[in-house]
PDB file of all heavy atoms in Angstrom:
ATOM      1  N   GLY N 397     126.186 109.348 136.928  1.00  0.00           N
ATOM      2  CA  GLY N 397     127.440 108.754 137.357  1.00  0.00           C
ATOM      3  C   GLY N 397     128.526 108.733 136.307  1.00  0.00           C
ATOM      4  O   GLY N 397     129.467 107.933 136.427  1.00  0.00           O
ATOM      5  N   THR N 398     128.459 109.601 135.285  1.00  0.00           N
ATOM      6  CA  THR N 398     129.524 109.628 134.276  1.00  0.00           C
ATOM      7  C   THR N 398     130.841 110.109 134.872  1.00  0.00           C
ATOM      8  O   THR N 398     131.906 109.566 134.560  1.00  0.00           O
ATOM      9  CB  THR N 398     129.106 110.533 133.113  1.00  0.00           C
ATOM     10  OG1 THR N 398     128.762 111.834 133.612  1.00  0.00           O
ATOM     11  CG2 THR N 398     127.896 109.957 132.390  1.00  0.00           C
ATOM     12  N   SER N 399     130.790 111.114 135.744  1.00  0.00           N
ATOM     13  CA  SER N 399     132.017 111.586 136.392  1.00  0.00           C
ATOM     14  C   SER N 399     132.589 110.535 137.332  1.00  0.00           C
ATOM     15  O   SER N 399     133.812 110.406 137.464  1.00  0.00           O
ATOM     16  CB  SER N 399     131.750 112.889 137.146  1.00  0.00           C
ATOM     17  OG  SER N 399     131.315 113.916 136.265  1.00  0.00           O
ATOM     18  N   SER N 400     131.731 109.771 137.986  1.00  0.00           N
ATOM     19  CA  SER N 400     132.220 108.683 138.851  1.00  0.00           C
ATOM     20  C   SER N 400     132.941 107.626 138.034  1.00  0.00           C
ATOM     21  O   SER N 400     133.964 107.082 138.468  1.00  0.00           O
ATOM     22  CB  SER N 400     131.053 108.055 139.612  1.00  0.00           C
ATOM     23  OG  SER N 400     130.448 108.994 140.478  1.00  0.00           O
ATOM     24  N   LEU N 401     132.436 107.326 136.829  1.00  0.00           N
ATOM     25  CA  LEU N 401     133.122 106.361 135.978  1.00  0.00           C
ATOM     26  C   LEU N 401     134.481 106.897 135.536  1.00  0.00           C
ATOM     27  O   LEU N 401     135.467 106.143 135.496  1.00  0.00           O
ATOM     28  CB  LEU N 401     132.252 106.043 134.765  1.00  0.00           C
ATOM     29  CG  LEU N 401     132.855 105.082 133.739  1.00  0.00           C
ATOM     30  CD1 LEU N 401     133.247 103.771 134.389  1.00  0.00           C
ATOM     31  CD2 LEU N 401     131.874 104.837 132.594  1.00  0.00           C
ATOM     32  N   LEU N 402     134.575 108.193 135.237  1.00  0.00           N
ATOM     33  CA  LEU N 402     135.866 108.765 134.875  1.00  0.00           C
ATOM     34  C   LEU N 402     136.848 108.693 136.044  1.00  0.00           C
ATOM     35  O   LEU N 402     138.041 108.403 135.851  1.00  0.00           O
ATOM     36  CB  LEU N 402     135.685 110.211 134.423  1.00  0.00           C
ATOM     37  CG  LEU N 402     135.032 110.436 133.056  1.00  0.00           C
ATOM     38  CD1 LEU N 402     135.089 111.903 132.688  1.00  0.00           C
ATOM     39  CD2 LEU N 402     135.684 109.600 131.988  1.00  0.00           C
ATOM     40  N   ARG N 403     136.383 108.946 137.257  1.00  0.00           N
ATOM     41  CA  ARG N 403     137.268 108.826 138.421  1.00  0.00           C
ATOM     42  C   ARG N 403     137.722 107.387 138.617  1.00  0.00           C
ATOM     43  O   ARG N 403     138.882 107.133 138.967  1.00  0.00           O
ATOM     44  CB  ARG N 403     136.556 109.345 139.673  1.00  0.00           C
ATOM     45  CG  ARG N 403     136.646 110.847 139.854  1.00  0.00           C
ATOM     46  CD  ARG N 403     136.160 111.246 141.232  1.00  0.00           C
ATOM     47  NE  ARG N 403     134.748 110.921 141.411  1.00  0.00           N
ATOM     48  CZ  ARG N 403     133.756 111.736 141.129  1.00  0.00           C
ATOM     49  NH1 ARG N 403     134.012 112.939 140.638  1.00  0.00           N
ATOM     50  NH2 ARG N 403     132.501 111.376 141.329  1.00  0.00           N
ATOM     51  N   SER N 404     136.817 106.435 138.409  1.00  0.00           N
ATOM     52  CA  SER N 404     137.202 105.033 138.546  1.00  0.00           C
ATOM     53  C   SER N 404     138.258 104.654 137.514  1.00  0.00           C
ATOM     54  O   SER N 404     139.232 103.956 137.838  1.00  0.00           O
ATOM     55  CB  SER N 404     135.959 104.143 138.394  1.00  0.00           C
ATOM     56  OG  SER N 404     136.296 102.780 138.448  1.00  0.00           O
ATOM     57  N   ILE N 405     138.101 105.120 136.288  1.00  0.00           N
ATOM     58  CA  ILE N 405     139.101 104.832 135.254  1.00  0.00           C
ATOM     59  C   ILE N 405     140.425 105.505 135.595  1.00  0.00           C
ATOM     60  O   ILE N 405     141.508 104.917 135.420  1.00  0.00           O
ATOM     61  CB  ILE N 405     138.574 105.283 133.882  1.00  0.00           C
ATOM     62  CG1 ILE N 405     137.358 104.450 133.477  1.00  0.00           C
ATOM     63  CG2 ILE N 405     139.665 105.190 132.816  1.00  0.00           C
ATOM     64  CD1 ILE N 405     136.702 104.909 132.195  1.00  0.00           C
ATOM     65  N   ALA N 406     140.363 106.743 136.100  1.00  0.00           N
ATOM     66  CA  ALA N 406     141.591 107.455 136.451  1.00  0.00           C
ATOM     67  C   ALA N 406     142.349 106.746 137.565  1.00  0.00           C
ATOM     68  O   ALA N 406     143.585 106.621 137.518  1.00  0.00           O
ATOM     69  CB  ALA N 406     141.259 108.888 136.852  1.00  0.00           C
ATOM     70  N   LEU N 407     141.638 106.253 138.571  1.00  0.00           N
ATOM     71  CA  LEU N 407     142.311 105.555 139.670  1.00  0.00           C
ATOM     72  C   LEU N 407     142.948 104.251 139.211  1.00  0.00           C
ATOM     73  O   LEU N 407     143.981 103.839 139.753  1.00  0.00           O
ATOM     74  CB  LEU N 407     141.304 105.286 140.791  1.00  0.00           C
ATOM     75  CG  LEU N 407     140.748 106.522 141.515  1.00  0.00           C
ATOM     76  CD1 LEU N 407     139.715 106.109 142.541  1.00  0.00           C
ATOM     77  CD2 LEU N 407     141.863 107.315 142.167  1.00  0.00           C
TER      78      LEU N 407
END
Side-chain angles (χ1 to χ4, degrees):
T398 55
S399 299
S400 297
L401 178 56
L402 288 187
R403 276 191 297 270
S404 177
I405 295 175
L407 294 177

